[in-house]
DNA sequence: TCTATCCTAAGACAACTGTCTCACAACGTC
DNA sequence: GACGTTGTGAGACAGTTGTCTTAGGATAGA
């Protein structure tokens, strides 16, 4: 029964991001934010995209004043998780570890981040095991 | 000038995977492999997909005997790297570290892999810096 | 040579994306 | 009350993806 989640095309994602940033927006507000960010869309385009997002159930609209105000229903984390899962399934045999390994080799992290990652890893690898190290530099 | 890389839809990706596995294949061979893996496509569908891959320059064909034999031009690593970069750009502000962090939280690794990852991290974090720890369990 | 196979070429066709035009309703102002 | 502004609705239209049909060339055995 489980209906599989709707896909989110890139252009819809751009609009959704605006809603995440601002919490909510009318078509015009979204348009302006997008323009400021370099997207040269027309009003109608943004309206269509919001409309499509709504029919997928990813945003809701609510006509408060003159215009409809759109709010995201899905969170950014949710979208990220879906995308990552789909990537892992399609290209990493369902093994998140393979993706991490690949990432480290092909997209080197900044040292600060690398340390942060290591710290997280340590704490996952057993609160007991990792404790004596961790302050070592 | 740089023409941006062609997109690879999911169904084409499935076909490409067959070529990576076998090194090369005719339409019929690919079809059979895909059938064995559960894809219920018709011969023509697979032929179309290979054709589209070829017009995108991702595979080449070469009529040796009766049928065309297709070989991948792009490697699996290349495709993975592209997909990951695009994900990082679109949803992680271009910061691979954010993706890694998210991955660790939302898609927990098996301990074996976690250790492997930590080891990689250690060696990246400076052969000098990480040396006094590393044998600690 | 006739016929059953296997292959390719050409393209159909619906769903989804990306983007826009146009007609029309509601609102505020003179 | 006529007008410009802002907003919506409906839908156009080309390009991409997913999948298949059909026609016709080459091949191989009866």
């Amino acid at each position: 029964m489980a209906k599989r989640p709707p896909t989110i095309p890139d252009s819809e994602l751009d609009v959704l991001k605006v809603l995440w940033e601002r919490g909510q927006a009318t078509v015009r507000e979204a348009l302006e934010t997008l323009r400021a960010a370099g997207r040269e869309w027309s009003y109608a385009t943004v309206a269509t995209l919001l409309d499509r997002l709504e029919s997928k159930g990813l945003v809701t609209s609510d006509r408060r004043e003159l215009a409809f105000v759109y709010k995201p229903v899905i969170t950014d984390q949710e979208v990220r998780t879906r995308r990552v899962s789909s990537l892992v399934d399609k290209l990493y045999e369902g093994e998140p570890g393979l993706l991490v390994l690949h990432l480290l080799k092909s997209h080197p992290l900044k040292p600060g981040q690398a340390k942060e990652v290591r710290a997280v890893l340590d704490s996952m690898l057993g609160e007991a095991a990792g404790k004596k190290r961790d302050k070592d530099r």
mmCIF file of all heavy atoms in Angstrom, chain D residues 4-17:
data_model
loop_
_atom_site.group_PDB
_atom_site.id
_atom_site.type_symbol
_atom_site.label_atom_id
_atom_site.label_comp_id
_atom_site.label_asym_id
_atom_site.label_seq_id
_atom_site.Cartn_x
_atom_site.Cartn_y
_atom_site.Cartn_z
ATOM 1 P P DG D 4 -5.484 52.475 -17.111
ATOM 2 O OP1 DG D 4 -4.730 53.477 -17.901
ATOM 3 O OP2 DG D 4 -6.179 51.357 -17.800
ATOM 4 O "O5'" DG D 4 -4.486 51.886 -16.023
ATOM 5 C "C5'" DG D 4 -3.729 52.790 -15.236
ATOM 6 C "C4'" DG D 4 -3.311 52.139 -13.926
ATOM 7 O "O4'" DG D 4 -4.458 51.552 -13.272
ATOM 8 C "C3'" DG D 4 -2.286 51.010 -14.105
ATOM 9 O "O3'" DG D 4 -1.318 51.157 -13.061
ATOM 10 C "C2'" DG D 4 -3.124 49.755 -13.922
ATOM 11 C "C1'" DG D 4 -4.158 50.205 -12.917
ATOM 12 N N9 DG D 4 -5.408 49.467 -12.936
ATOM 13 C C8 DG D 4 -6.199 49.158 -14.021
ATOM 14 N N7 DG D 4 -7.281 48.494 -13.704
ATOM 15 C C5 DG D 4 -7.195 48.350 -12.321
ATOM 16 C C6 DG D 4 -8.089 47.716 -11.411
ATOM 17 O O6 DG D 4 -9.151 47.153 -11.650
ATOM 18 N N1 DG D 4 -7.620 47.810 -10.101
ATOM 19 C C2 DG D 4 -6.460 48.428 -9.723
ATOM 20 N N2 DG D 4 -6.177 48.414 -8.425
ATOM 21 N N3 DG D 4 -5.625 49.027 -10.558
ATOM 22 C C4 DG D 4 -6.053 48.950 -11.841
ATOM 23 P P DT D 5 -0.012 50.263 -13.067
ATOM 24 O OP1 DT D 5 1.142 51.106 -12.701
ATOM 25 O OP2 DT D 5 -0.009 49.496 -14.338
ATOM 26 O "O5'" DT D 5 -0.303 49.258 -11.871
ATOM 27 C "C5'" DT D 5 -0.603 49.805 -10.586
ATOM 28 C "C4'" DT D 5 -0.885 48.692 -9.605
ATOM 29 O "O4'" DT D 5 -2.203 48.136 -9.849
ATOM 30 C "C3'" DT D 5 0.094 47.505 -9.667
ATOM 31 O "O3'" DT D 5 0.494 47.221 -8.333
ATOM 32 C "C2'" DT D 5 -0.728 46.380 -10.282
ATOM 33 C "C1'" DT D 5 -2.131 46.726 -9.787
ATOM 34 N N1 DT D 5 -3.280 46.216 -10.559
ATOM 35 C C2 DT D 5 -4.325 45.637 -9.852
ATOM 36 O O2 DT D 5 -4.319 45.507 -8.640
ATOM 37 N N3 DT D 5 -5.381 45.222 -10.624
ATOM 38 C C4 DT D 5 -5.499 45.317 -11.987
ATOM 39 O O4 DT D 5 -6.511 44.913 -12.540
ATOM 40 C C5 DT D 5 -4.377 45.923 -12.666
ATOM 41 C C7 DT D 5 -4.396 46.063 -14.155
ATOM 42 C C6 DT D 5 -3.330 46.342 -11.930
ATOM 43 P P DT D 6 1.751 46.247 -8.040
ATOM 44 O OP1 DT D 6 2.449 46.785 -6.859
ATOM 45 O OP2 DT D 6 2.449 46.004 -9.321
ATOM 46 O "O5'" DT D 6 1.040 44.889 -7.601
ATOM 47 C "C5'" DT D 6 0.143 44.930 -6.496
ATOM 48 C "C4'" DT D 6 -0.612 43.630 -6.401
ATOM 49 O "O4'" DT D 6 -1.647 43.589 -7.416
ATOM 50 C "C3'" DT D 6 0.241 42.373 -6.636
ATOM 51 O "O3'" DT D 6 0.085 41.547 -5.496
ATOM 52 C "C2'" DT D 6 -0.339 41.746 -7.891
ATOM 53 C "C1'" DT D 6 -1.763 42.280 -7.879
ATOM 54 N N1 DT D 6 -2.439 42.338 -9.195
ATOM 55 C C2 DT D 6 -3.745 41.896 -9.287
ATOM 56 O O2 DT D 6 -4.369 41.471 -8.332
ATOM 57 N N3 DT D 6 -4.294 41.976 -10.543
ATOM 58 C C4 DT D 6 -3.689 42.431 -11.688
ATOM 59 O O4 DT D 6 -4.287 42.450 -12.755
ATOM 60 C C5 DT D 6 -2.323 42.881 -11.528
ATOM 61 C C7 DT D 6 -1.562 43.389 -12.697
ATOM 62 C C6 DT D 6 -1.766 42.812 -10.297
ATOM 63 P P DG D 7 0.786 40.145 -5.362
ATOM 64 O OP1 DG D 7 1.037 39.918 -3.938
ATOM 65 O OP2 DG D 7 1.864 40.020 -6.366
ATOM 66 O "O5'" DG D 7 -0.396 39.183 -5.805
ATOM 67 C "C5'" DG D 7 -1.514 39.068 -4.919
ATOM 68 C "C4'" DG D 7 -2.532 38.173 -5.529
ATOM 69 O "O4'" DG D 7 -3.016 38.787 -6.745
ATOM 70 C "C3'" DG D 7 -1.943 36.821 -5.976
ATOM 71 O "O3'" DG D 7 -2.543 35.734 -5.312
ATOM 72 C "C2'" DG D 7 -2.248 36.727 -7.432
ATOM 73 C "C1'" DG D 7 -3.269 37.782 -7.688
ATOM 74 N N9 DG D 7 -3.066 38.292 -9.033
ATOM 75 C C8 DG D 7 -1.981 38.956 -9.534
ATOM 76 N N7 DG D 7 -2.088 39.225 -10.803
ATOM 77 C C5 DG D 7 -3.319 38.711 -11.164
ATOM 78 C C6 DG D 7 -3.984 38.688 -12.415
ATOM 79 O O6 DG D 7 -3.596 39.128 -13.484
ATOM 80 N N1 DG D 7 -5.226 38.070 -12.319
ATOM 81 C C2 DG D 7 -5.761 37.538 -11.172
ATOM 82 N N2 DG D 7 -6.957 36.976 -11.263
ATOM 83 N N3 DG D 7 -5.162 37.552 -9.997
ATOM 84 C C4 DG D 7 -3.949 38.139 -10.066
ATOM 85 P P DT D 8 -2.008 34.286 -5.626
ATOM 86 O OP1 DT D 8 -2.012 33.546 -4.350
ATOM 87 O OP2 DT D 8 -0.784 34.391 -6.433
ATOM 88 O "O5'" DT D 8 -3.160 33.701 -6.551
ATOM 89 C "C5'" DT D 8 -4.502 33.699 -6.081
ATOM 90 C "C4'" DT D 8 -5.412 33.199 -7.178
ATOM 91 O "O4'" DT D 8 -5.284 34.071 -8.326
ATOM 92 C "C3'" DT D 8 -5.058 31.804 -7.668
ATOM 93 O "O3'" DT D 8 -6.185 30.954 -7.589
ATOM 94 C "C2'" DT D 8 -4.622 31.988 -9.119
ATOM 95 C "C1'" DT D 8 -5.266 33.302 -9.510
ATOM 96 N N1 DT D 8 -4.458 34.012 -10.525
ATOM 97 C C2 DT D 8 -4.985 34.181 -11.772
ATOM 98 O O2 DT D 8 -6.081 33.775 -12.099
ATOM 99 N N3 DT D 8 -4.172 34.847 -12.649
ATOM 100 C C4 DT D 8 -2.909 35.362 -12.402
ATOM 101 O O4 DT D 8 -2.286 35.945 -13.272
ATOM 102 C C5 DT D 8 -2.414 35.150 -11.056
ATOM 103 C C7 DT D 8 -1.073 35.654 -10.672
ATOM 104 C C6 DT D 8 -3.202 34.494 -10.186
ATOM 105 P P DG D 9 -6.071 29.424 -7.930
ATOM 106 O OP1 DG D 9 -6.488 28.695 -6.723
ATOM 107 O OP2 DG D 9 -4.727 29.183 -8.507
ATOM 108 O "O5'" DG D 9 -7.150 29.182 -9.079
ATOM 109 C "C5'" DG D 9 -7.688 30.275 -9.821
ATOM 110 C "C4'" DG D 9 -8.134 29.762 -11.175
ATOM 111 O "O4'" DG D 9 -7.437 30.494 -12.217
ATOM 112 C "C3'" DG D 9 -7.835 28.287 -11.438
ATOM 113 O "O3'" DG D 9 -8.918 27.771 -12.202
ATOM 114 C "C2'" DG D 9 -6.518 28.318 -12.211
ATOM 115 C "C1'" DG D 9 -6.596 29.638 -12.965
ATOM 116 N N9 DG D 9 -5.308 30.320 -13.082
ATOM 117 C C8 DG D 9 -4.333 30.423 -12.113
ATOM 118 N N7 DG D 9 -3.305 31.137 -12.488
ATOM 119 C C5 DG D 9 -3.616 31.530 -13.784
ATOM 120 C C6 DG D 9 -2.880 32.326 -14.689
ATOM 121 O O6 DG D 9 -1.780 32.850 -14.528
ATOM 122 N N1 DG D 9 -3.549 32.483 -15.904
ATOM 123 C C2 DG D 9 -4.778 31.950 -16.190
ATOM 124 N N2 DG D 9 -5.250 32.213 -17.399
ATOM 125 N N3 DG D 9 -5.493 31.200 -15.337
ATOM 126 C C4 DG D 9 -4.847 31.033 -14.159
ATOM 127 P P DA D 10 -8.949 26.273 -12.674
ATOM 128 O OP1 DA D 10 -10.378 25.881 -12.722
ATOM 129 O OP2 DA D 10 -8.004 25.493 -11.839
ATOM 130 O "O5'" DA D 10 -8.417 26.363 -14.169
ATOM 131 C "C5'" DA D 10 -8.991 27.331 -15.056
ATOM 132 C "C4'" DA D 10 -8.355 27.188 -16.428
ATOM 133 O "O4'" DA D 10 -7.165 28.010 -16.492
ATOM 134 C "C3'" DA D 10 -7.917 25.758 -16.762
ATOM 135 O "O3'" DA D 10 -8.415 25.445 -18.044
ATOM 136 C "C2'" DA D 10 -6.400 25.823 -16.688
ATOM 137 C "C1'" DA D 10 -6.112 27.272 -17.055
ATOM 138 N N9 DA D 10 -4.871 27.805 -16.512
ATOM 139 C C8 DA D 10 -4.348 27.568 -15.267
ATOM 140 N N7 DA D 10 -3.207 28.177 -15.038
ATOM 141 C C5 DA D 10 -2.958 28.865 -16.223
ATOM 142 C C6 DA D 10 -1.904 29.696 -16.622
ATOM 143 N N6 DA D 10 -0.862 29.991 -15.842
ATOM 144 N N1 DA D 10 -1.959 30.218 -17.865
ATOM 145 C C2 DA D 10 -3.001 29.925 -18.648
ATOM 146 N N3 DA D 10 -4.061 29.153 -18.376
ATOM 147 C C4 DA D 10 -3.969 28.648 -17.132
ATOM 148 P P DG D 11 -8.203 24.003 -18.721
ATOM 149 O OP1 DG D 11 -9.373 23.752 -19.569
ATOM 150 O OP2 DG D 11 -7.823 23.041 -17.666
ATOM 151 O "O5'" DG D 11 -6.961 24.247 -19.681
ATOM 152 C "C5'" DG D 11 -6.923 25.457 -20.414
ATOM 153 C "C4'" DG D 11 -5.520 25.691 -20.906
ATOM 154 O "O4'" DG D 11 -4.677 26.191 -19.852
ATOM 155 C "C3'" DG D 11 -4.814 24.419 -21.410
ATOM 156 O "O3'" DG D 11 -4.233 24.730 -22.631
ATOM 157 C "C2'" DG D 11 -3.757 24.183 -20.370
ATOM 158 C "C1'" DG D 11 -3.414 25.624 -20.051
ATOM 159 N N9 DG D 11 -2.575 25.810 -18.878
ATOM 160 C C8 DG D 11 -2.697 25.200 -17.653
ATOM 161 N N7 DG D 11 -1.763 25.540 -16.817
ATOM 162 C C5 DG D 11 -0.973 26.429 -17.527
ATOM 163 C C6 DG D 11 0.191 27.120 -17.151
ATOM 164 O O6 DG D 11 0.774 27.089 -16.069
ATOM 165 N N1 DG D 11 0.672 27.925 -18.175
ATOM 166 C C2 DG D 11 0.105 28.037 -19.415
ATOM 167 N N2 DG D 11 0.702 28.850 -20.279
ATOM 168 N N3 DG D 11 -0.994 27.397 -19.783
ATOM 169 C C4 DG D 11 -1.470 26.605 -18.797
ATOM 170 P P DA D 12 -4.216 23.769 -23.838
ATOM 171 O OP1 DA D 12 -5.427 23.947 -24.666
ATOM 172 O OP2 DA D 12 -3.843 22.420 -23.374
ATOM 173 O "O5'" DA D 12 -3.024 24.452 -24.647
ATOM 174 C "C5'" DA D 12 -3.075 25.868 -24.863
ATOM 175 C "C4'" DA D 12 -1.659 26.349 -25.049
ATOM 176 O "O4'" DA D 12 -0.995 26.446 -23.768
ATOM 177 C "C3'" DA D 12 -0.825 25.386 -25.896
ATOM 178 O "O3'" DA D 12 -0.168 26.151 -26.896
ATOM 179 C "C2'" DA D 12 0.149 24.754 -24.905
ATOM 180 C "C1'" DA D 12 0.268 25.807 -23.818
ATOM 181 N N9 DA D 12 0.531 25.284 -22.467
ATOM 182 C C8 DA D 12 -0.265 24.459 -21.723
ATOM 183 N N7 DA D 12 0.219 24.190 -20.531
ATOM 184 C C5 DA D 12 1.415 24.874 -20.484
ATOM 185 C C6 DA D 12 2.409 25.005 -19.487
ATOM 186 N N6 DA D 12 2.339 24.413 -18.290
ATOM 187 N N1 DA D 12 3.492 25.764 -19.769
ATOM 188 C C2 DA D 12 3.556 26.369 -20.974
ATOM 189 N N3 DA D 12 2.693 26.330 -21.987
ATOM 190 C C4 DA D 12 1.626 25.570 -21.671
ATOM 191 P P DC D 13 0.339 25.396 -28.187
ATOM 192 O OP1 DC D 13 0.300 26.389 -29.277
ATOM 193 O OP2 DC D 13 -0.343 24.086 -28.290
ATOM 194 O "O5'" DC D 13 1.856 25.124 -27.824
ATOM 195 C "C5'" DC D 13 2.682 26.168 -27.304
ATOM 196 C "C4'" DC D 13 3.993 25.544 -26.894
ATOM 197 O "O4'" DC D 13 3.941 25.190 -25.497
ATOM 198 C "C3'" DC D 13 4.242 24.223 -27.650
ATOM 199 O "O3'" DC D 13 5.585 24.199 -28.047
ATOM 200 C "C2'" DC D 13 3.932 23.172 -26.612
ATOM 201 C "C1'" DC D 13 4.431 23.878 -25.364
ATOM 202 N N1 DC D 13 3.963 23.323 -24.069
ATOM 203 C C2 DC D 13 4.803 23.470 -22.967
ATOM 204 O O2 DC D 13 5.876 24.081 -23.106
ATOM 205 N N3 DC D 13 4.436 22.939 -21.772
ATOM 206 C C4 DC D 13 3.285 22.290 -21.659
ATOM 207 N N4 DC D 13 2.964 21.791 -20.471
ATOM 208 C C5 DC D 13 2.407 22.127 -22.767
ATOM 209 C C6 DC D 13 2.784 22.655 -23.946
ATOM 210 P P DA D 14 5.945 23.169 -29.264
ATOM 211 O OP1 DA D 14 5.631 23.833 -30.545
ATOM 212 O OP2 DA D 14 5.371 21.849 -28.943
ATOM 213 O "O5'" DA D 14 7.539 23.087 -29.131
ATOM 214 C "C5'" DA D 14 8.270 24.123 -28.495
ATOM 215 C "C4'" DA D 14 9.215 23.530 -27.460
ATOM 216 O "O4'" DA D 14 8.478 23.123 -26.282
ATOM 217 C "C3'" DA D 14 9.962 22.268 -27.928
ATOM 218 O "O3'" DA D 14 11.299 22.389 -27.466
ATOM 219 C "C2'" DA D 14 9.234 21.139 -27.224
ATOM 220 C "C1'" DA D 14 8.891 21.811 -25.909
ATOM 221 N N9 DA D 14 7.809 21.215 -25.147
ATOM 222 C C8 DA D 14 6.579 20.824 -25.587
ATOM 223 N N7 DA D 14 5.796 20.325 -24.641
ATOM 224 C C5 DA D 14 6.579 20.399 -23.499
ATOM 225 C C6 DA D 14 6.334 20.031 -22.163
ATOM 226 N N6 DA D 14 5.197 19.497 -21.739
ATOM 227 N N1 DA D 14 7.328 20.233 -21.280
ATOM 228 C C2 DA D 14 8.486 20.777 -21.708
ATOM 229 N N3 DA D 14 8.831 21.169 -22.932
ATOM 230 C C4 DA D 14 7.823 20.950 -23.795
ATOM 231 P P DG D 15 12.428 21.390 -28.077
ATOM 232 O OP1 DG D 15 13.534 22.255 -28.508
ATOM 233 O OP2 DG D 15 11.769 20.415 -28.985
ATOM 234 O "O5'" DG D 15 12.927 20.574 -26.800
ATOM 235 C "C5'" DG D 15 13.485 21.285 -25.688
ATOM 236 C "C4'" DG D 15 13.625 20.320 -24.535
ATOM 237 O "O4'" DG D 15 12.326 20.000 -24.011
ATOM 238 C "C3'" DG D 15 14.274 18.981 -24.924
ATOM 239 O "O3'" DG D 15 15.247 18.666 -23.931
ATOM 240 C "C2'" DG D 15 13.129 17.985 -24.890
ATOM 241 C "C1'" DG D 15 12.211 18.610 -23.851
ATOM 242 N N9 DG D 15 10.812 18.249 -23.984
ATOM 243 C C8 DG D 15 10.022 18.360 -25.100
ATOM 244 N N7 DG D 15 8.790 17.956 -24.901
ATOM 245 C C5 DG D 15 8.763 17.559 -23.568
ATOM 246 C C6 DG D 15 7.712 17.035 -22.774
ATOM 247 O O6 DG D 15 6.547 16.806 -23.103
ATOM 248 N N1 DG D 15 8.123 16.764 -21.479
ATOM 249 C C2 DG D 15 9.385 16.988 -20.999
ATOM 250 N N2 DG D 15 9.613 16.665 -19.729
ATOM 251 N N3 DG D 15 10.385 17.479 -21.722
ATOM 252 C C4 DG D 15 10.006 17.738 -22.994
ATOM 253 P P DT D 16 16.160 17.317 -24.038
ATOM 254 O OP1 DT D 16 17.511 17.658 -23.591
ATOM 255 O OP2 DT D 16 15.922 16.645 -25.341
ATOM 256 O "O5'" DT D 16 15.514 16.402 -22.901
ATOM 257 C "C5'" DT D 16 15.382 16.941 -21.593
ATOM 258 C "C4'" DT D 16 14.827 15.878 -20.685
ATOM 259 O "O4'" DT D 16 13.413 15.711 -20.930
ATOM 260 C "C3'" DT D 16 15.455 14.495 -20.862
ATOM 261 O "O3'" DT D 16 15.715 14.015 -19.556
ATOM 262 C "C2'" DT D 16 14.385 13.707 -21.598
ATOM 263 C "C1'" DT D 16 13.111 14.341 -21.056
ATOM 264 N N1 DT D 16 11.895 14.235 -21.893
ATOM 265 C C2 DT D 16 10.732 13.783 -21.294
ATOM 266 O O2 DT D 16 10.676 13.446 -20.129
ATOM 267 N N3 DT D 16 9.641 13.751 -22.110
ATOM 268 C C4 DT D 16 9.577 14.111 -23.430
ATOM 269 O O4 DT D 16 8.521 14.040 -24.035
ATOM 270 C C5 DT D 16 10.824 14.570 -24.004
ATOM 271 C C7 DT D 16 10.877 14.973 -25.439
ATOM 272 C C6 DT D 16 11.923 14.608 -23.217
ATOM 273 P P DT D 17 16.576 12.720 -19.243
ATOM 274 O OP1 DT D 17 17.300 12.972 -17.992
ATOM 275 O OP2 DT D 17 17.304 12.279 -20.451
ATOM 276 O "O5'" DT D 17 15.430 11.648 -18.950
ATOM 277 C "C5'" DT D 17 14.470 11.935 -17.972
ATOM 278 C "C4'" DT D 17 13.399 10.882 -17.866
ATOM 279 O "O4'" DT D 17 12.417 11.050 -18.912
ATOM 280 C "C3'" DT D 17 13.838 9.410 -17.933
ATOM 281 O "O3'" DT D 17 13.266 8.779 -16.790
ATOM 282 C "C2'" DT D 17 13.260 8.921 -19.258
ATOM 283 C "C1'" DT D 17 12.011 9.787 -19.390
ATOM 284 N N1 DT D 17 11.484 10.066 -20.743
ATOM 285 C C2 DT D 17 10.121 9.891 -20.968
ATOM 286 O O2 DT D 17 9.350 9.456 -20.134
ATOM 287 N N3 DT D 17 9.712 10.237 -22.235
ATOM 288 C C4 DT D 17 10.486 10.741 -23.255
ATOM 289 O O4 DT D 17 9.978 11.025 -24.339
ATOM 290 C C5 DT D 17 11.887 10.894 -22.951
ATOM 291 C C7 DT D 17 12.822 11.433 -23.985
ATOM 292 C C6 DT D 17 12.317 10.553 -21.721
#
